[in-house]
Amino acid sequence: MNRFGWLSRLLLITSLSTAAYAWNRPTHMVTGAIAYRELQTNSPQTLARVVTILRQHPDYAAMWSDKLNASTLSEDERNQYLFMLAARWPDDIRGNAHDHPSWHYINYVYAPQQGIARTDTMLATGENILQAFALNQHIVRSDAPDSAKAIALCWLFHLAGDVHMPLHTAALVDQQFPQGDRGGNLFKIKVLMSAQTINLHSFWDGMLLGEDDYQAASNLAIQIHHAVSRNQLSQLGSADIAIWSKESFQLAQDNAYRSNTLTAGTDQEGAVLPADYVATVKPIAQRQVALAGYRLADELVSDVRH
């Protein structure tokens, strides 16, 4: 069978993928903090309006109020923390009425054994991240009540982070994973020989930060904001999430999977990552988080009416 006939069969497969986290909650908080700092400097009117909208979120009292009213936080820190909590909210409400598992990713086909890496085709998963972003963007720009806009803003915050995580744009398809590896969730690895077996997606999720608190996320946001400035990111001119997703898909191929040279292990015994893997991909992850934060800030300036 030629490779295009094989691809046609592949695209009839309904993905078995379960929803996966793209960056962990603390890393999403960092993206929110970077966007906050950008708006604080470049568009304080937008910042004030977003804060006003987020305070009308239906879950504000139940999920956020106690955290935000901690006596140790200044007003500025409370507002930044609100951005952080908004960015992680779609992961915090997994399983409830507002949850949309397929919104967090898109499965572009990466089938290197067949010479295929396509962004014009994907494994079927339901409504994907591109469609979800457009839907919530429309709500934010509409005359919907602020409570509805607050939910939509949380999704824009979160999806802007998700789409910059390379493994949320790729499905590796090969002999080991004929129905796709679920964005690295089935791709078993170890960081060290003595370490426990985890999956590649989880490794990327938690690579930058594991502490789930305001100060740790704020500190990392400051570090990344200083380390990766806007003038280092020539691709910032693009405001199209489809382009963002294709950038991430290329990073997945070249760096997450190392051009198909990375070896997957089994559930019982993950394959040990190359010795230089962590040092090589960590700066890429930091750059992607910075890029997500800057792009989110720019998106908010475009979408939110003052």
Side-chain angles (χ1 to χ4, degrees):
M1 178 184 297
N2 65 39
R3 73 177 194 176
F4 297 106
W6 180 90
L7 179 60
S8 296
R9 284 185 55 195
L10 169 64
L11 295 174
L12 293 176
I13 297 172
T14 299
S15 171
L16 300 177
S17 178
T18 56
Y21 296 102
W23 307 126
N24 57 8
R25 289 175 175 90
T27 308
H28 275 292
M29 292 168 69
V30 172
T31 298
I34 291 172
Y36 180 88
R37 292 175 177 277
E38 281 293 294
L39 292 179
Q40 193 173 45
T41 301
N42 300 321
S43 186
Q45 285 182 304
T46 301
L47 178 62
R49 177 62 180 140
V50 173
V51 167
T52 297
I53 294 172
L54 289 175
R55 285 175 177 164
Q56 301 305 310
H57 195 289
D59 285 340
Y60 185 91
M63 295 182 66
W64 297 345
S65 182
D66 287 348
K67 295 183 176 70
L68 295 171
N69 289 329
S71 60
T72 57
L73 298 178
S74 68
E75 182 66 19
D76 178 62
E77 289 170 333
R78 288 190 185 98
N79 290 339
Q80 180 177 235
Y81 198 7
L82 180 58
F83 266 56
M84 294 179 180
L85 295 172
R88 60 174 282 174
W89 178 81
D91 281 345
D92 289 332
I93 52 90
R94 295 278 182 163
N96 84 3
H98 294 298
D99 186 19
H100 300 278
S102 70
W103 280 13
H104 297 256
Y105 58 93
I106 186 167
N107 279 338
Y108 293 133
V109 176
Y110 179 43
Q113 293 174 352
Q114 303 295 325
I116 296 169
R118 302 281 293 272
T119 56
D120 59 343
T121 52
M122 61 206 72
L123 296 185
T125 58
E127 201 167 34
N128 64 46
I129 194 170
L130 307 188
Q131 296 164 318
F133 197 85
L135 172 63
N136 287 284
Q137 186 181 59
H138 174 75
I139 294 170
V140 171
R141 293 176 175 179
S142 74
D143 293 325
D146 282 358
S147 57
K149 287 185 178 183
I151 292 171
L153 277 174
C154 287
W155 278 108
L156 289 186
F157 275 49
H158 192 82
L159 300 180
D162 279 353
V163 77
H164 286 86
M165 200 283 223
L167 290 173
H168 260 240
T169 62
L172 173 66
V173 179
D174 59 15
Q175 292 179 348
Q176 188 172 359
F177 308 113
Q179 293 181 315
D181 75 338
R182 305 183 190 178
N185 277 283
L186 300 180
F187 197 110
K188 303 297 182 175
I189 57 97
K190 287 183 174 183
V191 178
L192 300 168
M193 179 62 73
S194 58
Q196 67 179 5
T197 292
I198 59 173
N199 64 66
L200 188 64
H201 191 111
S202 294
F203 166 78
W204 275 79
D205 268 354
M207 187 193 322
L208 297 181
L209 186 64
E211 296 177 71
D212 190 10
D213 65 71
Y214 168 82
Q215 197 59 58
S218 179
N219 290 344
L220 183 56
I222 293 169
Q223 176 187 331
I224 292 177
H225 200 206
H226 287 163
V228 186
S229 63
R230 275 184 172 268
N231 60 19
Q232 295 175 256
L233 301 169
S234 59
Q235 63 269 61
L236 267 175
S238 169
D240 184 350
I241 191 175
I243 293 175
W244 306 349
S245 70
K246 292 173 184 178
E247 293 169 356
S248 288
F249 182 52
Q250 192 64 55
L251 290 173
Q253 297 169 60
D254 297 343
N255 300 106
Y257 295 116
R258 283 207 166 178
S259 302
N260 197 36
T261 63
L262 202 67
T263 301
T266 65
D267 288 343
Q268 292 72 38
E269 188 71 19
V272 180
L273 290 174
D276 66 339
Y277 189 87
V278 176
T280 301
V281 300
K282 188 172 182 179
I284 294 168
Q286 291 175 329
R287 185 182 180 90
Q288 287 298 100
V289 169
L291 189 55
Y294 294 142
R295 281 174 164 165
L296 172 58
D298 293 345
E299 183 68 32
L300 294 172
V301 171
S302 297
D303 291 346
V304 175
R305 298 178 183 176
H306 301 160

